[in-house]
Amino acid sequence: MAPGLANSINPLVADVGSPPIPEAQSWIKRYDGSFGPLINLSQAVPGNAPHASLLERMAAAAGSAVGSQYGPINGDAPFRQAYAADLSRLYEGRIAPDDTAITAGCNMAFFAAMMLLAHRGEAVLLPTPWYFNHQMTLDMLGIEPRPLPCRAETGFVPRVEDAEPLIDEKVRAVVLVTPNNPTGAVYPAHVIERFAQLCRKRGIYLVIDETYRDFLPQEVNRAHGLFIGDEWRNTVIQLYSFSKSYAIPGHRTGAITADALVIEHIAKILDCIQICAPRTAQAALPWAIDALRDWREDNRAEINRRAQVFQDALAPLPEWKIESVGAYFAYLRHPFPEAGAQQVAEKLATERGVLCLPGSYFGPGQEGHLRVAIANVGSDVLQGLTERFKDLRL
């Protein structure tokens, strides 16, 4: 760093570590290919291309003069109307377009929600292991990420009885992420609804990130009943991403759902950090929400198949214990109790050509785990993991 520059940087930013995924990706430069092509199970990336008709519509929108102009702060009206109607159908509630705002991805949605709810010196309950971008966001805003421990013995599902004693006058919100990143845990509806009741009782918000909602197990038709009735309007902020469900992460399209009065305040933040969300996908997604419903359902079934294939691939290796699996992720306990998670992950990458992320990226107490993004590759590739994990030595 240049002389004097260290004194000019906001310490809340300077003290936050660099994004961890590039560090992990640097390990693959040392892989010699001896086990075959690299298997990248690190950053969650859709393992399938967008639907051809969606690509056609986005291409037309990108080539239009209208699509090159600024749009409304909260998102294009046809998109918000289609999204609100879909939410109302899915959750059996009453959600209006004015209860939504479109963001440049779900990370942007989380940033805006946290800026809205808390300020420097206050706190937010964050389930651990946590998604590192959530923790980084809170640290940079000067908001305490207060750990809400989630344990393997309870399927990494948070418990209200653990959360309640952690809530004091500093806590402004509780965050839930389901299906979870990094563990893949799917929170039961009754657990989510109990957290909403707790937040109502304590006068704070429940922020629920449902980025991976469209990859729930086949037997789960509705994630929760939070939007039935109107009590949610004083308690709930929901976040969503179109990136994985429509295989368009590069188009940065997410959403916030909250009461319209809350959305009015959110708009102030969005105007300063994005002006408007990217418009190419906004033009095509109103059509895709209904037209690609069967396509998304097929993708959900495929991702769930991949979860089973991953479990089958590691079944002959009981020393590698899958402690949680769901949607895009598996959370894996490695068999080296004396080693740190990064050492194990780096060894897998450099010697076996399997890139996954160490649990240490996801908060304190995670040195025994690796996060595996199982949705990134096809079942045929996952089947080959048995030989890659077998007889690994440190």
Side-chain angles (χ1 to χ4, degrees):
M1 187 174 290
L5 186 59
N7 295 327
S8 303
I9 299 296
N10 178 353
L12 293 177
V13 176
D15 291 344
V16 171
S18 299
I21 287 179
E23 176 186 42
Q25 291 175 336
S26 71
W27 302 333
I28 63 178
K29 298 175 183 176
R30 308 200 317 265
Y31 174 56
D32 63 9
S34 55
F35 275 79
L38 174 75
I39 301 176
N40 191 338
L41 307 176
S42 59
Q43 187 174 24
V45 178
N48 59 285
H51 192 281
S53 296
L54 178 61
L55 286 174
E56 290 174 3
R57 283 168 169 78
M58 289 195 298
S64 71
V66 172
S68 301
Q69 301 298 312
Y70 285 130
I73 295 170
N74 286 344
D76 291 357
F79 185 22
R80 294 172 70 199
Q81 289 165 3
Y83 181 57
D86 191 52
L87 287 173
S88 299
R89 178 198 61 80
L90 180 64
Y91 292 108
E92 301 176 20
R94 188 182 59 183
I95 300 168
D98 286 347
D99 299 325
T100 67
I102 306 304
T103 61
C106 198
N107 272 7
M108 176 81 78
F110 182 82
F111 190 99
M114 294 301 102
M115 182 177 283
L116 176 75
L117 295 179
H119 58 71
R120 184 171 181 167
E122 295 184 326
V124 168
L125 258 60
L126 205 59
T128 56
W130 52 40
Y131 174 43
F132 46 77
N133 281 153
H134 286 175
Q135 174 254 325
M136 292 168 69
T137 292
L138 293 174
D139 282 347
M140 286 188 285
L141 290 172
I143 301 166
E144 176 195 349
R146 187 168 296 180
L148 171 57
C150 300
R151 305 173 181 88
E153 55 266 30
T154 57
F156 291 102
V157 174
R159 304 192 316 161
V160 167
E161 49 266 45
D162 292 332
E164 190 154 17
L166 296 173
I167 298 173
D168 58 20
E169 69 282 355
K170 291 176 61 177
V171 173
R172 308 308 305 148
V174 176
V175 173
L176 298 181
V177 183
T178 179
N180 187 259
N181 179 5
T183 66
V186 176
Y187 301 170
H190 72 272
V191 171
I192 298 170
E193 290 156 15
R194 283 193 66 202
F195 269 97
Q197 292 167 6
L198 171 65
C199 290
R200 275 196 297 272
K201 182 174 76 171
R202 301 301 292 266
I204 61 177
Y205 266 88
L206 174 66
V207 178
I208 180 165
D209 182 335
E210 296 188 87
T211 293
Y212 299 95
R213 181 196 67 205
D214 293 330
F215 304 99
L216 288 166
Q218 296 295 110
E219 66 272 15
V220 180
N221 293 319
R222 188 184 69 194
H224 53 74
L226 293 184
F227 292 114
I228 297 174
D230 285 324
E231 283 186 313
W232 67 271
R233 294 186 175 278
N234 298 316
T235 307
V236 174
I237 296 177
Q238 189 246 24
L239 313 179
Y240 178 70
S241 170
F242 297 86
S243 296
K244 309 301 189 298
S245 302
Y246 297 86
I248 53 169
H251 287 281
R252 311 309 305 134
T253 312
I256 300 177
T257 300
D259 182 75
L261 294 177
V262 174
I263 294 296
E264 288 182 10
H265 292 291
I266 288 281
K268 303 173 192 175
I269 301 170
L270 296 182
D271 187 41
C272 292
I273 58 179
Q274 70 175 23
I275 297 181
C276 67
R279 304 199 60 208
T280 297
Q282 289 195 68
L285 284 169
W287 165 84
I289 285 173
D290 282 329
L292 298 186
R293 205 176 299 281
D294 290 344
W295 180 81
R296 296 199 307 277
E297 190 63 24
D298 289 343
N299 287 340
R300 173 164 81 145
E302 173 59 24
I303 296 305
N304 279 276
R305 278 193 294 271
R306 292 178 192 179
Q308 186 58 57
V309 170
F310 177 76
Q311 293 175 81
D312 293 343
L314 265 63
L317 309 173
E319 66 273 21
W320 295 88
K321 185 178 181 183
I322 301 172
E323 292 194 326
S324 183
V325 61
Y328 256 63
F329 305 110
Y331 210 52
L332 183 64
R333 179 171 288 279
H334 66 72
F336 306 102
E338 303 304 317
Q342 182 162 327
Q343 182 184 359
V344 178
E346 190 170 353
K347 192 82 167 180
L348 271 171
T350 58
E351 292 192 2
R352 301 299 177 91
V354 178
L355 183 61
C356 50
L357 298 184
S360 51
Y361 285 1
F362 300 96
Q366 305 303 314
E367 289 291 354
H369 292 91
L370 305 177
R371 190 199 77 174
V372 185
I374 55 176
N376 288 17
V377 297
S379 296
D380 57 330
V381 176
L382 293 171
Q383 288 169 351
L385 290 177
T386 310
E387 291 303 313
R388 304 247 187 162
F389 279 84
K390 185 178 179 181
D391 297 328
L392 182 73
R393 296 287 182 265
L394 295 186

